[in-house]
Amino acid sequence: MFKSDFVDMKDRLLGKTLTARERDIPRFCDVLIIGGGVMGSAIAYWLKWRTLDGLKVVVIEKDSTVIEKNPNSFKVRSYRDSSTTLSVGGLRQQFSLKENIELSLYTADFFRNIKEHLSVKGGDPPDVQFNPSGYLFLSAEDTAHTLVENARLQRSLGAKVELLSLEKLKEKFPWLNTEGLFLGCHGLENEGWFDPWSLLFAFKRKAMSLGAEYVEGEVTGFNFKQGSEYINQDISSEDVKHLEGAQVKLKDGQTINLNCGLMVLAAGPQSGEIGRLMGLGAQNSIYTAPIPVEPRKRYVYSVHCPDGPGFSSPILIDPSGTYFRREGLGGNYLCGRSPTDEEEPPTDNLEVDYDFFESKVWPILAHRVPAFEKCKVKSAWAGYYDFNYFDENAVIGHHPGFCNLYMATGFSGHGIQQAPGVGRAVMEMLIDGEFKTIDLSRLSFERYIEKIPLWESNIV
Amino acid sequence: MYGLLSALYSKKNQVLDLHHYNPIRISGFLLNSWKTKTIKDAELLDQAYIPERHQILGNDLASAHFIVYRGGRVKFIGDNFWISKDNKAKTCDKLPNNYVKDYYLEAIDASGLRLRYEGLANLTNLSQLTELRLRGCPCVDDWFVDRISGEFCSTLEHLDLSDCHQVTENALSCIYRITNLKTLVLENIVKSRSFEYACLLLEDALPQLNIIGVKYMDVTKLSD
């Protein structure tokens, strides 16, 4: 575990001079986290919070941050393709699974006390710019019963939601066209949107100040060790491999071996690809079960509509999955929609398809809120969902193929709002060996092996 | 507990002896954070939700007791006077000590109290509350306003958030929930142009609402 320290000591005793380059990049660590987005940073933060100097935590990020701090401007050029920074940053409790609701409630609590959690000595206290506007889920008659069941579950777990009939909807939101609707579910507390970049920055800054190390580079391969010390008598040691470390291609082109005790995969949309690098998905056996995560491109359009509902509007989710929210004060709105399986766009680049807005998003939006008939697309961007194609839900837990591989991925678009809770859960899993705060055992990888999906009905 | 996969590793050996590697480091920052945490814990204990209080007194009287015994004032429907406690007196005689039927809170004045978000658990199900004054409460922030807007969404008519310096313009996006809100007092906290503009937009979106205390930019000066 403290091999790196011994190597350092040995080098010093033998009088070897270490070059600055070698000192900068760690070669050994206890926990290696792949992915330095908000999930990886949250895991690193919680691990360091719990253990301080007890564990050496290294985070590998492909596209790490370059912060240019001038007296006049503050420029950040990085995390270019990261799902974290391209997300819309919503926080809601209106889920259909107990785990997701609990995680979001925990996040609200964490954000409320974020100054105590993520303040750094000598730095400004973090502020995630939370806008408590609430969510309004609308449903047609055929899906209304799910909404009622979900609201009952959410209330039993402590979330505050109210169900609104058509009359109430008309009365509360006069700008809404209620045609084809049956019921609405309106969140009264702890729901809204926040600034994903501020959250990522706060987590990363705190993790680094507690001693986590960030390495900028790309994982190109893995080193394996056959067998494991954790072996059980029922499983032969040939079946289970042990990850010895990762081969990391640094920014300057050099490839190093980074050895680790435990590995946590939090690479978001690229998790499935990294799983293939480990050799997962090659054979049909549970030890090489693939990580069921793939990137899916989602567009976000920023439209200008001066007559829109403005301050009287929550984040609205249409039965079709189309959403919009206010952005800033200048009459701008962010909107988007998840495409169906047939019209899924290619994921090799982040180009925006403007026709998708014209043909799929705008008609629904203008139908639901007539004020949007006169709206104009100002800009748009695309980001990746870490889409779990098995059941659109998070995979948190252990992989059977490697006895030291843990996963926290596949959040299918709601990862950023669950990062504080998931980071803590992964920390508890690694250190205590069980979940203490929130029981996430239903989200483990087991359900993929047993082929029992755990569906979340409120995916947007 | 992970079911089947837990067979792959042992649980017992995973708990590390962490204190060994973490000697206590004393620094000003740590002492300061320890001090603020102690103060906060004491306040949270003081404002904790006590179920017995609500069981004995009913929601409205229990909330009145909670506010009055922490230095605030309350007003009941039908009364035309505020009830408060003298500094020297130990008890407040005007407040009944057992449940009274049809005795509803009309207004709460918690000005200057260190009322915390967690303390709001004591102010629930106040079915007739129309006025809430939180002038100069140092702990009132956006999350606090969010909670109020959900809790009193159908009854509240007058809300005073003056001098609550933690409240930002983000809090305005939840005001729409309070459907009957007529006056919102924001004295001394609107300091930026964007906050002013947000107030203007909010007044635009909610026709019945009147925001007091915002000095909008004087347009007549521009033409000069």
Side-chain angles (χ1 to χ4, degrees):
Chain A
M1 187 166 284
F2 300 97
K3 207 174 164 185
S4 57
D5 297 346
F6 288 121
V7 171
D8 273 9
M9 262 155 62
K10 193 180 134 200
D11 286 349
R12 253 177 243 165
L13 286 174
L14 292 175
K16 266 190 203 168
T17 48
L18 299 168
T19 62
R21 178 80 253 172
E22 278 172 350
R23 295 285 305 162
D24 279 346
I25 308 291
R27 300 304 171 99
F28 304 98
C29 61
D30 300 317
V31 182
L32 179 67
I33 298 167
I34 301 176
V38 75
M39 201 56 76
S41 299
I43 296 167
Y45 157 69
W46 280 112
L47 278 171
K48 292 307 283 187
W49 173 84
R50 175 76 184 270
T51 65
L52 289 177
D53 293 342
L55 285 179
K56 187 174 162 112
V57 178
V58 171
V59 183
I60 303 179
E61 169 58 37
K62 189 171 68 173
D63 183 18
S64 192
T65 181
V66 185
I67 301 167
E68 292 176 0
K69 215 172 182 180
N70 300 328
N72 301 326
S73 65
F74 180 75
K75 220 184 193 173
V76 179
R77 300 182 309 179
S78 61
Y79 281 94
R80 196 166 47 90
D81 298 347
S82 169
S83 302
T84 301
T85 47
L86 294 173
S87 92
V88 178
L91 170 63
R92 61 185 162 113
Q93 277 87 51
Q94 297 190 42
F95 287 105
S96 66
L97 284 182
K98 182 174 149 280
E99 285 80 2
N100 287 336
I101 301 167
E102 281 178 336
L103 280 171
S104 288
L105 282 169
Y106 182 81
T107 306
D109 191 63
F110 186 88
F111 281 0
R112 201 151 44 72
N113 300 312
I114 197 164
K115 284 179 188 156
E116 281 151 49
H117 289 291
L118 299 183
S119 277
V120 173
K121 186 184 168 186
D124 291 336
D127 181 11
V128 289
Q129 294 287 340
F130 181 68
N131 253 282
S133 71
Y135 265 78
L136 176 63
F137 270 78
L138 300 172
S139 88
E141 195 164 358
D142 53 333
T143 51
H145 62 280
T146 349
L147 206 65
V148 177
E149 278 165 27
N150 291 348
R152 196 175 296 146
L153 178 66
Q154 287 149 15
R155 277 192 199 140
S156 74
L157 293 169
K160 259 193 204 155
V161 292
E162 59 173 0
L163 288 169
L164 298 171
S165 63
L166 276 191
E167 290 77 38
K168 279 273 178 65
L169 277 174
K170 270 180 204 158
E171 188 191 318
K172 282 203 164 189
F173 309 105
W175 40 266
L176 186 74
N177 176 13
T178 52
E179 196 190 322
L181 296 181
F182 189 72
L183 201 66
C185 189
H186 181 210
L188 292 174
E189 197 182 295
N190 293 341
E191 291 193 317
W193 72 84
F194 57 93
D195 179 15
W197 171 253
S198 305
L199 181 66
L200 169 64
F201 183 65
F203 263 129
K204 187 172 175 180
R205 186 179 65 163
K206 183 69 181 179
M208 284 170 99
S209 88
L210 287 173
E213 289 178 65
Y214 277 70
V215 173
E216 188 169 4
E218 212 175 331
V219 176
T220 53
F222 291 91
N223 301 329
F224 307 102
K225 210 158 68 178
Q226 201 69 244
S228 153
E229 51 263 45
Y230 295 127
I231 218 68
N232 185 301
Q233 57 185 4
D234 298 336
I235 306 161
S236 69
S237 59
E238 280 94 54
D239 286 336
V240 183
K241 281 198 275 186
H242 192 87
L243 281 167
E244 201 181 10
Q247 296 157 11
V248 184
K249 192 180 171 200
L250 299 178
K251 231 183 156 188
D252 54 8
Q254 183 196 357
T255 304
I256 60 161
N257 284 328
L258 222 166
N259 288 1
C260 63
L262 297 170
M263 196 178 283
V264 182
L265 182 59
Q270 278 86 39
S271 298
E273 207 183 309
I274 288 178
R276 277 192 289 282
L277 280 180
M278 293 176 185
L280 300 178
Q283 296 155 6
N284 197 10
S285 118
I286 68 159
Y287 302 113
T288 59
I291 298 170
V293 177
E294 61 184 23
R296 289 274 173 100
K297 194 156 79 170
R298 294 287 181 267
Y299 307 118
V300 182
Y301 302 95
S302 170
V303 300
H304 183 68
C305 178
D307 306 327
F311 266 85
S312 59
S313 161
I315 303 177
L316 188 122
I317 319 270
D318 189 74
S320 64
T322 313
Y323 66 87
F324 81 85
R325 75 158 167 88
R326 179 173 63 80
E327 168 74 358
L329 305 172
N332 287 337
Y333 297 84
L334 295 184
C335 60
R337 185 191 177 181
S338 289
T340 55
D341 285 343
E342 295 88 53
E343 52 198 36
E344 200 63 62
T347 53
D348 44 355
N349 57 35
L350 279 175
E351 273 167 26
V352 180
D353 181 6
Y354 285 91
D355 291 340
F356 185 74
F357 178 80
E358 295 294 332
S359 62
K360 303 284 175 195
V361 182
W362 182 66
I364 293 171
L365 208 59
H367 173 72
R368 193 53 65 212
V369 185
F372 277 111
E373 269 170 20
K374 283 184 284 177
C375 73
K376 208 171 125 191
V377 180
K378 298 281 267 190
S379 66
W381 74 86
Y384 291 129
Y385 266 25
D386 49 344
F387 192 81
N388 176 355
Y389 55 79
F390 176 61
D391 59 3
E392 305 185 9
N393 233 322
V395 178
I396 298 163
H398 195 245
H399 193 282
F402 303 100
C403 51
N404 58 349
L405 175 65
Y406 293 83
M407 293 172 291
T409 182
F411 291 88
S412 309
H414 49 260
I416 180 141
Q417 59 174 302
Q418 301 185 338
V422 173
R424 185 168 185 145
V426 171
M427 178 271 284
E428 286 164 355
M429 193 162 63
L430 293 184
I431 290 173
D432 299 316
E434 61 185 328
F435 296 118
K436 296 244 160 139
T437 331
I438 303 169
D439 185 10
L440 300 178
S441 43
R442 279 207 302 167
L443 296 175
S444 72
F445 195 62
E446 227 171 84
R447 71 180 196 274
Y448 179 71
I449 292 164
E450 291 172 354
K451 300 283 178 223
I452 307 169
L454 189 67
W455 291 100
E456 164 65 59
S457 63
N458 285 5
I459 288 283
V460 176
Chain B
M1 290 285 117
Y2 317 103
L4 269 180
L5 292 183
S6 60
L8 291 170
Y9 56 93
S10 74
K11 281 189 196 110
K12 278 182 187 166
N13 298 331
Q14 288 215 352
V15 182
L16 306 169
D17 177 16
L18 303 166
H19 300 286
H20 183 66
Y21 305 105
N22 292 318
I24 301 167
R25 296 169 205 153
I26 294 174
S27 66
F29 181 71
L30 277 181
L31 281 177
N32 232 345
S33 56
W34 173 78
K35 195 177 144 200
T36 33
K37 194 173 178 299
T38 318
I39 293 173
K40 189 188 166 186
D41 286 351
E43 279 174 8
L44 288 186
L45 188 66
D46 178 46
Q47 298 179 14
Y49 173 70
I50 303 168
E52 286 83 9
R53 182 161 54 202
H54 283 249
Q55 279 163 15
I56 294 167
L57 297 168
N59 289 318
D60 288 76
L61 258 180
S63 306
H65 271 256
F66 175 77
I67 293 292
V68 166
Y69 282 97
R70 275 155 196 81
R73 302 189 297 165
V74 294
K75 196 161 123 185
F76 284 91
I77 285 181
D79 297 349
N80 50 4
F81 53 86
W82 289 89
I83 298 176
S84 64
K85 187 174 80 79
D86 281 341
N87 275 339
K88 287 174 190 165
K90 276 192 175 169
T91 54
C92 177
D93 301 334
K94 289 177 201 154
L95 270 183
N97 278 331
N98 42 20
Y99 177 66
V100 182
K101 213 184 163 199
D102 290 340
Y103 202 41
Y104 293 114
L105 266 181
E106 187 191 1
I108 289 178
D109 182 356
S111 300
L113 298 191
R114 291 189 65 85
L115 195 59
R116 283 193 169 270
Y117 181 90
E118 287 80 359
L120 276 177
N122 290 293
L123 307 179
T124 50
N125 293 331
L126 304 177
S127 54
Q128 316 264 348
L129 188 81
T130 54
E131 188 176 342
L132 186 57
R133 296 189 196 169
L134 299 166
R135 182 179 283 267
C137 292
C139 303
V140 172
D141 55 6
D142 296 351
W143 296 88
F144 197 101
V145 180
D146 183 28
R147 177 100 191 228
I148 291 172
S149 76
E151 189 65 55
F152 309 117
C153 59
S154 50
T155 58
L156 207 62
E157 289 173 11
H158 180 94
L159 179 62
D160 188 348
L161 296 172
S162 308
D163 294 318
C164 300
H165 294 290
Q166 291 199 49
V167 174
T168 68
E169 63 193 83
N170 293 337
L172 296 183
S173 39
C174 65
I175 298 293
Y176 77 90
R177 274 190 212 130
I178 316 176
T179 37
N180 292 324
L181 193 66
K182 293 193 177 86
T183 43
L184 176 65
V185 191
L186 298 174
E187 275 165 18
N188 265 338
I189 58 167
V190 182
K191 283 167 189 153
S192 68
R193 282 272 177 271
S194 63
F195 202 152
E196 276 175 21
Y197 187 45
C199 291
L200 211 62
L201 289 175
L202 184 65
E203 272 186 324
D204 238 22
L206 308 173
Q208 82 286 359
L209 178 68
N210 181 23
I211 299 180
I212 300 170
V214 188
K215 292 185 197 99
Y216 294 116
M217 197 170 69
D218 198 354
V219 191
T220 49
K221 273 183 190 165
L222 280 178
S223 55
D224 299 343

